[in-house]
Amino acid sequence: MILSDLRSYLQQQRRVALIDLVNHFGTDADALRGMLNKWVSKGRVRKMPLESSCGTSCCKCDPALTELYEWIDEK
């Protein structure tokens, strides 16, 4: 996977959780964070603030993988 693949996926999905990126690309979360940070530094992606929970009480989600990222369109 390269940065352009990640960009295309983010543009299509608009907002995506890190766990979804891990599953879609079959790539390590830390590697994806590095690529996402590249887009963040370019002002194309925004890391969304974490909510206290996903809305359920199961407590099965790994908080480290529930990070949300949003693609920002050019103005």
Coordinates of all heavy atoms in Angstrom, one line a residue:
M1 N 0.8 -1.2 0.0 CA 0.0 0.0 0.0 C 0.9 1.2 0.0 O 1.9 1.3 0.7 CB -0.9 0.0 1.2 CG -1.7 1.2 1.3 SD -2.6 1.5 2.8 CE -1.4 1.4 4.0
I2 N 0.4 2.2 -0.7 CA 1.2 3.5 -0.8 C 0.2 4.6 -0.4 O -1.0 4.4 -0.2 CB 1.8 3.8 -2.2 CG1 0.7 3.7 -3.3 CG2 2.9 2.8 -2.5 CD1 1.2 4.0 -4.6
L3 N 0.8 5.8 -0.2 CA 0.0 6.9 0.3 C -1.2 7.2 -0.6 O -2.3 7.6 -0.1 CB 0.9 8.2 0.4 CG 1.8 8.2 1.7 CD1 2.7 9.4 1.5 CD2 1.0 8.3 2.9
S4 N -1.1 7.1 -1.9 CA -2.2 7.4 -2.8 C -3.4 6.4 -2.6 O -4.5 6.7 -2.7 CB -1.8 7.4 -4.2 OG -1.2 6.1 -4.6
D5 N -3.1 5.1 -2.2 CA -4.1 4.2 -1.9 C -4.9 4.6 -0.7 O -6.1 4.5 -0.6 CB -3.5 2.8 -1.7 CG -2.9 2.2 -2.9 OD1 -3.3 2.5 -4.0 OD2 -1.9 1.4 -2.7
L6 N -4.1 5.0 0.3 CA -4.8 5.5 1.6 C -5.6 6.7 1.3 O -6.7 6.8 1.8 CB -3.7 5.8 2.6 CG -4.2 6.3 4.0 CD1 -5.1 5.3 4.6 CD2 -3.0 6.5 4.9
R7 N -5.1 7.6 0.5 CA -5.8 8.9 0.1 C -7.1 8.5 -0.6 O -8.2 9.0 -0.2 CB -5.0 9.7 -0.8 CG -5.7 11.0 -1.3 CD -5.0 11.7 -2.4 NE -4.9 10.8 -3.5 CZ -3.9 10.8 -4.4 NH1 -2.9 11.6 -4.3 NH2 -4.0 9.9 -5.4
S8 N -7.1 7.6 -1.5 CA -8.3 7.2 -2.3 C -9.3 6.6 -1.4 O -10.5 7.0 -1.5 CB -7.9 6.3 -3.4 OG -7.1 6.8 -4.3
Y9 N -8.9 5.8 -0.5 CA -9.8 5.1 0.5 C -10.5 6.2 1.4 O -11.7 6.2 1.6 CB -9.1 4.0 1.3 CG -10.1 3.2 2.1 CD1 -10.9 2.3 1.5 CD2 -10.1 3.4 3.5 CE1 -11.8 1.5 2.3 CE2 -11.0 2.6 4.3 CZ -11.8 1.7 3.6 OH -12.7 1.0 4.4
L10 N -9.7 7.1 1.9 CA -10.2 8.1 2.8 C -11.1 9.1 2.0 O -12.2 9.5 2.6 CB -9.0 8.9 3.4 CG -8.2 8.2 4.5 CD1 -6.9 8.9 4.8 CD2 -9.1 8.1 5.8
Q11 N -10.8 9.4 0.8 CA -11.7 10.2 0.0 C -13.1 9.6 -0.2 O -14.1 10.2 -0.2 CB -11.1 10.6 -1.3 CG -10.0 11.6 -1.2 CD -9.2 11.8 -2.5 OE1 -9.1 10.9 -3.3 NE2 -8.7 13.0 -2.7
Q12 N -13.1 8.3 -0.4 CA -14.3 7.6 -0.6 C -15.1 7.4 0.6 O -16.3 7.6 0.6 CB -14.0 6.2 -1.2 CG -13.5 6.1 -2.6 CD -13.0 4.7 -3.0 OE1 -13.0 3.8 -2.2 NE2 -12.7 4.6 -4.3
Q13 N -14.4 7.1 1.7 CA -15.1 6.8 3.0 C -15.4 8.1 3.8 O -16.3 8.0 4.6 CB -14.3 5.8 3.9 CG -14.0 4.5 3.2 CD -15.3 3.8 2.9 OE1 -16.2 3.7 3.7 NE2 -15.4 3.2 1.7
R14 N -14.7 9.1 3.6 CA -14.8 10.4 4.3 C -14.3 10.3 5.7 O -13.5 11.1 6.1 CB -16.2 10.9 4.2 CG -16.9 11.0 2.9 CD -16.1 11.8 1.8 NE -16.0 13.2 2.2 CZ -15.1 13.9 1.6 NH1 -14.3 13.5 0.7 NH2 -15.0 15.2 2.0
R15 N -14.8 9.4 6.5 CA -14.4 9.3 7.9 C -14.3 7.8 8.2 O -15.2 7.0 7.9 CB -15.5 9.9 8.8 CG -15.1 10.0 10.3 CD -16.1 10.6 11.1 NE -16.2 12.1 10.8 CZ -17.1 12.9 11.4 NH1 -18.0 12.4 12.2 NH2 -17.1 14.1 11.1
V16 N -13.2 7.4 8.8 CA -12.9 6.0 9.0 C -12.1 5.8 10.3 O -11.3 6.6 10.7 CB -12.2 5.4 7.8 CG1 -10.8 6.0 7.6 CG2 -12.1 3.9 7.8
A17 N -12.4 4.7 11.0 CA -11.7 4.3 12.2 C -10.4 3.6 11.8 O -10.4 2.9 10.8 CB -12.6 3.4 13.0
L18 N -9.5 3.7 12.6 CA -8.2 3.0 12.4 C -8.3 1.5 12.2 O -7.7 0.9 11.4 CB -7.2 3.4 13.5 CG -5.8 2.8 13.4 CD1 -5.1 3.3 12.1 CD2 -5.0 3.1 14.6
I19 N -9.2 0.9 13.0 CA -9.4 -0.5 12.9 C -9.9 -0.9 11.5 O -9.5 -2.0 11.0 CB -10.3 -1.1 14.0 CG1 -10.4 -2.6 14.0 CG2 -11.7 -0.5 13.9 CD1 -9.1 -3.3 14.3
D20 N -10.7 -0.1 10.9 CA -11.2 -0.3 9.6 C -10.1 -0.3 8.6 O -10.1 -1.0 7.6 CB -12.3 0.6 9.2 CG -13.6 0.5 10.0 OD1 -13.8 -0.7 10.5 OD2 -14.3 1.4 10.3
L21 N -9.2 0.7 8.7 CA -8.0 0.8 7.9 C -7.1 -0.4 8.0 O -6.6 -1.0 7.0 CB -7.2 2.1 8.1 CG -8.0 3.4 7.8 CD1 -7.2 4.6 8.4 CD2 -8.1 3.5 6.3
V22 N -6.9 -0.9 9.2 CA -6.1 -2.1 9.5 C -6.7 -3.3 8.8 O -6.0 -4.0 8.1 CB -6.0 -2.3 11.0 CG1 -5.4 -3.7 11.3 CG2 -5.2 -1.3 11.7
N23 N -8.0 -3.4 8.9 CA -8.7 -4.6 8.2 C -8.7 -4.4 6.7 O -8.5 -5.4 6.0 CB -10.1 -4.7 8.8 CG -10.2 -5.1 10.2 OD1 -9.3 -5.8 10.7 ND2 -11.2 -4.7 10.9
H24 N -8.9 -3.2 6.2 CA -9.0 -3.1 4.8 C -7.7 -3.3 4.1 O -7.6 -3.9 3.1 CB -9.5 -1.6 4.5 CG -9.6 -1.4 3.0 ND1 -10.7 -1.8 2.2 CD2 -8.8 -0.7 2.2 CE1 -10.5 -1.5 1.0 NE2 -9.4 -0.8 0.9
F25 N -6.6 -2.7 4.7 CA -5.3 -2.8 4.0 C -4.4 -3.9 4.5 O -3.4 -4.2 3.9 CB -4.6 -1.4 4.2 CG -5.1 -0.3 3.4 CD1 -5.8 0.7 4.1 CD2 -5.0 -0.3 2.0 CE1 -6.4 1.8 3.3 CE2 -5.6 0.8 1.3 CZ -6.3 1.8 2.0
G26 N -4.8 -4.6 5.6 CA -4.0 -5.7 6.2 C -2.7 -5.2 6.6 O -1.7 -5.9 6.4
T27 N -2.6 -4.0 7.2 CA -1.4 -3.4 7.6 C -1.4 -3.1 9.1 O -2.5 -2.8 9.6 CB -1.2 -2.0 6.8 OG1 -1.2 -2.3 5.4 CG2 0.1 -1.4 7.1
D28 N -0.2 -3.0 9.7 CA -0.1 -2.7 11.1 C -0.6 -1.3 11.4 O -0.4 -0.4 10.6 CB 1.4 -2.9 11.4 CG 1.7 -2.5 12.9 OD1 1.2 -3.3 13.8 OD2 2.3 -1.5 13.1
A29 N -1.2 -1.2 12.6 CA -1.8 0.1 13.0 C -0.7 1.2 13.0 O -1.0 2.3 12.6 CB -2.5 0.0 14.3
D30 N 0.4 0.9 13.6 CA 1.5 1.9 13.7 C 2.0 2.4 12.3 O 2.3 3.5 12.1 CB 2.7 1.4 14.5 CG 2.3 1.3 16.0 OD1 1.5 2.1 16.5 OD2 2.8 0.4 16.7
A31 N 2.1 1.4 11.4 CA 2.5 1.8 10.0 C 1.4 2.8 9.4 O 1.8 3.8 8.8 CB 2.6 0.6 9.1
L32 N 0.1 2.4 9.6 CA -0.9 3.3 9.1 C -0.9 4.7 9.8 O -1.1 5.7 9.1 CB -2.3 2.6 9.3 CG -2.6 1.6 8.3 CD1 -3.8 0.7 8.8 CD2 -3.0 2.2 7.0
R33 N -0.6 4.7 11.1 CA -0.5 6.0 11.8 C 0.5 6.9 11.1 O 0.4 8.1 11.0 CB -0.2 5.8 13.2 CG -1.4 5.4 14.1 CD -1.1 5.4 15.6 NE -2.2 4.8 16.3 CZ -2.2 3.5 16.8 NH1 -1.1 2.7 16.6 NH2 -3.2 3.0 17.4
G34 N 1.7 6.3 10.8 CA 2.7 7.0 10.1 C 2.3 7.6 8.8 O 2.5 8.8 8.5
M35 N 1.6 6.9 8.0 CA 1.0 7.4 6.8 C 0.0 8.4 7.0 O -0.1 9.4 6.3 CB 0.5 6.2 5.9 CG 1.6 5.3 5.4 SD 1.0 4.0 4.3 CE 1.1 2.7 5.5
L36 N -0.9 8.1 7.9 CA -2.0 9.1 8.2 C -1.4 10.4 8.7 O -1.8 11.5 8.3 CB -2.9 8.6 9.3 CG -3.8 7.4 8.8 CD1 -4.4 6.7 10.0 CD2 -5.0 8.0 8.0
N37 N -0.3 10.3 9.5 CA 0.3 11.6 10.0 C 0.9 12.4 8.9 O 1.0 13.6 8.9 CB 1.4 11.2 11.1 CG 0.8 10.9 12.4 OD1 -0.3 11.3 12.7 ND2 1.5 10.1 13.2
K38 N 1.3 11.7 7.8 CA 1.8 12.4 6.6 C 0.7 13.3 6.0 O 0.9 14.5 5.7 CB 2.4 11.4 5.6 CG 3.0 12.1 4.4 CD 4.3 12.7 4.8 CE 5.0 13.2 3.5 NZ 6.2 13.9 3.8
W39 N -0.5 12.7 5.9 CA -1.6 13.4 5.4 C -2.1 14.5 6.4 O -2.6 15.6 5.9 CB -2.8 12.5 5.0 CG -2.5 11.7 3.8 CD1 -2.3 10.4 3.7 CD2 -2.3 12.2 2.4 NE1 -2.1 10.0 2.3 CE2 -2.0 11.2 1.6 CE3 -2.3 13.5 1.9 CZ2 -1.8 11.3 0.2 CZ3 -2.1 13.7 0.5 CH2 -1.9 12.6 -0.3
V40 N -2.0 14.2 7.6 CA -2.4 15.2 8.7 C -1.4 16.4 8.5 O -1.9 17.6 8.5 CB -2.3 14.6 10.1 CG1 -2.4 15.7 11.1 CG2 -3.4 13.6 10.3
S41 N -0.1 16.2 8.4 CA 0.8 17.3 8.3 C 0.6 18.1 7.0 O 0.9 19.3 7.0 CB 2.3 16.8 8.3 OG 2.6 16.1 7.1
K42 N 0.0 17.5 6.0 CA -0.3 18.3 4.7 C -1.6 19.0 4.8 O -2.0 19.6 3.9 CB -0.3 17.3 3.5 CG 1.1 16.8 3.2 CD 1.0 15.9 2.0 CE 2.4 15.4 1.6 NZ 2.7 15.6 0.2
G43 N -2.4 18.8 5.9 CA -3.7 19.4 6.1 C -4.8 18.7 5.3 O -5.8 19.3 5.1
R44 N -4.6 17.5 4.9 CA -5.6 16.8 4.2 C -6.5 15.8 5.0 O -7.5 15.4 4.6 CB -5.0 16.0 3.0 CG -4.1 16.8 2.1 CD -4.7 18.0 1.5 NE -5.9 17.6 0.8 CZ -7.0 18.3 0.7 NH1 -7.2 19.4 1.3 NH2 -8.0 17.8 0.0
V45 N -5.9 15.5 6.2 CA -6.6 14.5 7.1 C -6.7 15.2 8.5 O -5.7 15.8 8.9 CB -6.0 13.2 7.1 CG1 -6.5 12.3 8.2 CG2 -6.1 12.5 5.8
R46 N -7.8 14.9 9.2 CA -7.9 15.4 10.5 C -8.2 14.2 11.4 O -9.0 13.4 11.1 CB -9.1 16.4 10.6 CG -9.5 16.8 12.0 CD -10.7 17.8 12.0 NE -11.7 17.5 10.9 CZ -12.2 18.5 10.2 NH1 -11.8 19.7 10.3 NH2 -13.1 18.2 9.2
K47 N -7.5 14.1 12.5 CA -7.7 13.1 13.5 C -8.9 13.6 14.4 O -8.8 14.7 15.0 CB -6.5 12.8 14.4 CG -6.7 11.7 15.4 CD -5.4 11.3 16.1 CE -5.7 10.2 17.1 NZ -4.5 9.9 17.9
M48 N -9.9 12.9 14.5 CA -11.1 13.3 15.2 C -10.9 13.1 16.7 O -10.3 12.1 17.1 CB -12.4 12.6 14.7 CG -12.6 12.7 13.2 SD -12.8 14.4 12.7 CE -14.4 14.7 13.5
P49 N -11.5 13.9 17.5 CA -11.4 13.7 19.0 C -12.1 12.4 19.4 O -13.2 12.1 18.8 CB -12.1 14.9 19.6 CG -12.8 15.6 18.5 CD -12.3 15.1 17.2
L50 N -11.5 11.7 20.3 CA -12.1 10.4 20.7 C -13.3 10.6 21.6 O -13.4 11.5 22.5 CB -11.1 9.6 21.5 CG -10.0 9.0 20.7 CD1 -9.0 8.3 21.7 CD2 -10.5 8.0 19.7
E51 N -14.3 9.8 21.4 CA -15.5 9.8 22.2 C -15.2 8.9 23.4 O -14.3 8.1 23.4 CB -16.7 9.3 21.5 CG -17.1 10.1 20.2 CD -17.6 11.5 20.6 OE1 -18.3 11.6 21.6 OE2 -17.3 12.4 19.8
S52 N -16.0 9.1 24.5 CA -15.7 8.2 25.6 C -16.0 6.8 25.4 O -15.4 5.9 26.0 CB -16.5 8.7 26.8 OG -17.9 8.7 26.5
S53 N -16.9 6.5 24.5 CA -17.2 5.1 24.1 C -17.9 5.0 22.8 O -18.2 6.1 22.2 CB -18.1 4.4 25.2 OG -19.4 5.0 25.1
C54 N -18.1 3.8 22.3 CA -18.7 3.7 21.0 C -20.2 3.7 21.1 O -21.0 3.7 20.1 CB -18.3 2.4 20.3 SG -18.8 0.9 21.1
G55 N -20.7 3.8 22.3 CA -22.2 3.8 22.5 C -22.7 2.6 23.1 O -23.9 2.5 23.4
T56 N -21.9 1.5 23.2 CA -22.4 0.3 23.7 C -21.6 0.0 25.0 O -20.7 0.7 25.4 CB -22.2 -0.9 22.8 OG1 -20.8 -1.1 22.6 CG2 -22.8 -0.7 21.4
S57 N -22.0 -1.0 25.7 CA -21.4 -1.3 27.0 C -20.6 -2.6 27.0 O -20.2 -3.1 28.1 CB -22.4 -1.3 28.1 OG -23.4 -2.4 27.8
C58 N -20.2 -3.1 25.8 CA -19.6 -4.4 25.8 C -18.1 -4.3 26.2 O -17.5 -5.2 26.6 CB -19.7 -5.0 24.4 SG -18.7 -4.1 23.1
C59 N -17.4 -3.1 26.0 CA -16.0 -2.9 26.4 C -15.1 -3.8 25.6 O -14.0 -4.1 26.1 CB -15.8 -3.0 27.9 SG -16.8 -1.9 28.8
K60 N -15.4 -4.2 24.4 CA -14.5 -5.1 23.6 C -13.6 -4.3 22.7 O -12.7 -4.9 22.1 CB -15.4 -6.1 22.9 CG -16.0 -7.1 23.8 CD -16.8 -8.2 23.0 CE -17.5 -9.1 24.0 NZ -18.2 -10.1 23.3
C61 N -13.9 -3.1 22.4 CA -13.1 -2.3 21.4 C -11.8 -1.9 22.1 O -11.8 -1.5 23.2 CB -13.9 -1.1 21.0 SG -15.4 -1.4 20.1
D62 N -10.7 -2.1 21.3 CA -9.4 -1.6 21.7 C -9.4 -0.1 21.5 O -9.5 0.3 20.4 CB -8.3 -2.3 20.9 CG -6.9 -1.9 21.3 OD1 -6.8 -1.0 22.1 OD2 -6.0 -2.5 20.7
P63 N -9.3 0.7 22.6 CA -9.3 2.1 22.4 C -8.2 2.6 21.5 O -8.4 3.7 20.9 CB -9.1 2.6 23.9 CG -9.4 1.5 24.8 CD -9.2 0.3 24.0
A64 N -7.1 1.9 21.4 CA -6.0 2.4 20.5 C -6.4 2.2 19.0 O -5.8 2.9 18.2 CB -4.8 1.6 20.8
L65 N -7.4 1.4 18.7 CA -7.8 1.2 17.4 C -9.1 1.9 17.0 O -9.6 1.8 15.9 CB -8.0 -0.3 17.0 CG -6.7 -1.1 17.1 CD1 -7.0 -2.5 16.9 CD2 -5.6 -0.5 16.2
T66 N -9.7 2.7 18.0 CA -11.0 3.4 17.7 C -10.7 4.8 17.3 O -11.6 5.6 17.2 CB -11.9 3.3 18.9 OG1 -11.3 3.9 20.0 CG2 -12.4 1.9 19.2
E67 N -9.5 5.1 17.0 CA -9.1 6.5 16.5 C -9.9 6.7 15.2 O -10.0 5.8 14.3 CB -7.6 6.6 16.2 CG -6.7 6.4 17.3 CD -5.3 6.2 16.9 OE1 -4.9 6.6 15.8 OE2 -4.5 5.6 17.7
L68 N -10.5 7.9 15.0 CA -11.2 8.3 13.8 C -10.4 9.3 13.0 O -9.9 10.2 13.6 CB -12.6 8.8 14.1 CG -13.6 7.8 14.6 CD1 -14.9 8.6 15.0 CD2 -13.9 6.8 13.6
Y69 N -10.4 9.1 11.7 CA -9.7 10.0 10.8 C -10.7 10.5 9.8 O -11.5 9.7 9.3 CB -8.5 9.4 10.2 CG -7.4 9.1 11.2 CD1 -7.4 7.9 11.9 CD2 -6.4 10.0 11.4 CE1 -6.4 7.6 12.8 CE2 -5.4 9.7 12.3 CZ -5.4 8.5 13.0 OH -4.4 8.3 13.9
E70 N -10.6 11.8 9.4 CA -11.5 12.3 8.4 C -10.7 13.0 7.3 O -9.8 13.8 7.6 CB -12.4 13.3 9.1 CG -13.4 14.0 8.2 CD -14.3 14.9 9.0 OE1 -13.8 15.8 9.8 OE2 -15.5 14.8 8.8
W71 N -11.1 12.8 6.1 CA -10.5 13.4 4.9 C -11.1 14.8 4.8 O -12.3 15.1 5.0 CB -10.8 12.7 3.6 CG -10.2 13.3 2.4 CD1 -10.8 14.1 1.5 CD2 -8.8 13.2 2.1 NE1 -9.8 14.5 0.6 CE2 -8.6 14.0 0.9 CE3 -7.7 12.6 2.6 CZ2 -7.4 14.2 0.3 CZ3 -6.5 12.7 2.0 CH2 -6.3 13.5 0.8
I72 N -10.2 15.8 4.5 CA -10.6 17.2 4.4 C -10.5 17.6 2.9 O -9.4 17.5 2.3 CB -9.7 18.1 5.2 CG1 -9.8 17.7 6.7 CG2 -10.1 19.6 5.0 CD1 -8.7 18.4 7.6
D73 N -11.6 18.0 2.3 CA -11.6 18.4 0.9 C -10.9 19.8 0.8 O -10.9 20.6 1.7 CB -13.0 18.6 0.4 CG -13.7 17.3 0.1 OD1 -12.9 16.3 -0.3 OD2 -14.9 17.1 0.3
E74 N -10.3 20.0 -0.4 CA -9.7 21.3 -0.7 C -10.8 22.3 -0.9 O -11.8 22.0 -1.4 CB -8.8 21.2 -2.0 CG -7.6 20.4 -1.8 CD -6.7 20.4 -3.1 OE1 -6.2 21.5 -3.3 OE2 -6.6 19.4 -3.7
K75 N -10.4 23.5 -0.5 CA -11.4 24.6 -0.6 C -11.1 25.5 -1.8 O -10.1 25.6 -2.3 CB -11.4 25.4 0.7 CG -11.9 24.6 1.8 CD -11.9 25.3 3.1 CE -12.4 24.4 4.2 NZ -12.3 25.0 5.5

